[in-house]
Amino acid sequence: MVAVAVIGAAGGIGQPLSLLLKLTPGISRLSLYDIVNMPGVATDISHINTNSSVEFYVGQSQLSNALRGINIVVISAGVARKPGMTRNDLFSINASIVRELIEAVADTCPKALIAIVTNPLNSTVPIAAHVLKSKNCYNPKRLFGITTLDSIRASRFVRDTHGIDAMELHVPVVGGHSGNTIVPLLSMATPQVKLSQKEMEDLVQRIQYGGDEVVKAKDGEGSATLSMAYAGARFTSSLVQAVGGAQVMESAFVPLAADPQGAHQIRRLGANSLDFFAVPIELGKTGTLRIVPLDAEPNMLELKAIDIAARTLKDNIAQGIKYMDSNQPLH
């Protein structure tokens, strides 16, 4: 059985994520951590009649206890995006939070699989990698940025226009996890969907900026929390299955060093020398087993989108690395 820690469990994403993980088969122990409000959240969740145990930990002094003996760490801590908030605004707050949490992971459970929700993901995952390298416990196969929501939105939005069963539809999404770095490969949807260029362009725009749609609808009261919690739970469930011995297909924003040979295709298609990119992966007990090759060549619209995504990602990744280079480790 598998022990999972949710870091940021009392937040807007963390609470529904923890609830969904309490319902997830294969989890034997659920360790919930945040800096406030944990007793009530954890006690409430602990009453659900599934077999996993629930523990809670509050505050920095209890963080190492929350991580002890953990197989999978899911990090959802940090502030959510609000109307008018730029990517840099978000980065300036969440970068230090992710750095501190990853340092604790490295010190307490260095072999755990690490799945990051905290945005801006295109920069927080490189920060995590940098911290793990500085702690001499970096394994690119064990680090993931959860981009599952982009695939979920792609399936749902195609269903909205074409009436296809969203649960049966799979749309590969590559690139990153914000705006024009999100590249849905609609031409490779399975089952195949016939789309005009205008339909494809409209769908790509909506998938890329689906987060803005939620922020606007919530009118200043938050961002995508429920759908992100569902996406986080789905990805974590895949990790749980993989740790249990299954081989599972997912997509995630990962270090391409996790499978240098498998990364050749996406590099050729436009990722070039980037160290991180969202790609389809096969998961196993040790994390990423391989980068799964795309079934076909992207069309011209998609190739252009990959090129645009790569140029933006280069800056996003560099921002994370620059932050780490200018900030000494906390411990």
Side-chain angles (χ1 to χ4, degrees):
M1 300 297 278
V2 181
V4 176
V6 179
I7 309 301
I13 293 171
Q15 288 196 39
L17 173 59
S18 299
L19 169 64
L20 291 169
L21 293 179
K22 184 67 174 77
L23 303 174
T24 300
I27 296 178
S28 57
R29 173 185 164 213
L30 196 55
S31 177
L32 306 180
Y33 170 86
D34 215 318
I35 56 174
V36 293
N37 300 332
M38 275 320 310
V41 172
T43 301
D44 198 358
I45 288 173
S46 73
H47 290 184
I48 295 170
N49 64 333
T50 55
N51 292 322
S52 53
S53 65
V54 177
E55 308 162 3
F56 70 87
Y57 301 89
V58 187
Q60 177 66 33
S61 64
Q62 295 190 23
L63 180 55
S64 61
N65 290 334
L67 293 169
R68 195 160 285 120
I70 292 298
N71 305 112
I72 298 169
V73 180
V74 186
I75 298 177
S76 63
V79 299
R81 188 161 60 97
K82 297 177 181 178
M85 182 179 279
T86 68
R87 187 185 178 284
N88 284 337
D89 294 334
L90 195 63
F91 176 84
S92 64
I93 300 170
N94 286 349
S96 61
I97 293 172
V98 169
R99 178 184 63 160
E100 183 174 349
L101 293 173
I102 295 294
E103 286 184 346
V105 171
D107 290 339
T108 310
C109 53
K111 293 185 178 180
L113 303 181
I114 303 169
I116 297 177
V117 173
T118 307
N119 280 317
L121 204 67
N122 297 347
S123 299
T124 56
V125 172
I127 286 173
H130 195 291
V131 172
L132 294 168
K133 287 176 183 177
S134 73
K135 294 280 190 176
N136 297 314
C137 61
Y138 178 57
N139 183 338
K141 295 179 180 294
R142 294 180 177 271
L143 179 62
F144 311 91
I146 300 180
T147 59
T148 311
L149 183 54
D150 302 323
S151 300
I152 289 169
R153 283 182 173 141
S155 297
R156 176 66 218 190
F157 296 167
V158 170
R159 190 266 175 208
D160 286 346
T161 58
H162 285 70
I164 297 168
D165 185 344
M167 296 297 289
E168 297 298 323
L169 181 65
H170 173 66
V171 179
V173 181
V174 300
H177 186 58
S178 68
N180 65 8
T181 69
I182 300 168
V183 184
L185 302 177
L186 294 163
S187 69
M188 299 183 204
T190 52
Q192 191 173 24
V193 183
K194 291 185 178 181
L195 298 168
S196 68
Q197 180 159 330
K198 177 66 164 58
E199 288 174 325
M200 190 171 290
E201 290 172 350
D202 289 346
L203 278 166
V204 168
Q205 174 74 13
R206 190 180 179 204
I207 294 162
Q208 288 180 333
Y209 296 97
D212 293 352
E213 191 176 310
V214 177
V215 170
K216 182 178 179 182
K218 290 191 174 182
D219 195 22
E221 296 301 316
S223 57
T225 53
L226 300 177
S227 54
M228 186 60 237
Y230 170 72
R234 193 182 93 172
F235 186 82
T236 305
S237 176
S238 292
L239 289 180
V240 170
Q241 293 173 59
V243 170
Q247 293 182 2
V248 189
M249 301 293 186
E250 275 288 353
S251 290
F253 186 66
V254 296
L256 293 182
D259 179 11
Q261 185 67 30
H264 285 337
Q265 182 192 48
I266 199 67
R267 290 194 186 283
R268 175 178 60 81
L269 293 174
N272 301 319
S273 61
L274 291 177
D275 290 329
F276 303 87
F277 215 74
V279 286
I281 54 175
E282 182 178 354
L283 298 168
K285 283 187 175 183
T286 57
T288 299
L289 291 181
R290 66 186 179 105
I291 294 173
V292 179
L294 300 173
D295 291 336
E297 288 288 304
N299 62 31
M300 291 304 296
L301 184 68
E302 292 163 345
L303 286 171
K304 182 179 178 181
I306 290 172
D307 178 64
I308 292 169
R311 282 186 270 128
T312 302
L313 276 169
K314 183 178 180 180
D315 292 338
N316 294 166
I317 293 166
Q319 184 181 30
I321 300 304
K322 182 179 179 182
Y323 170 84
M324 288 304 303
D325 286 343
S326 60
N327 288 271
Q328 295 298 315
L330 296 177
H331 305 295

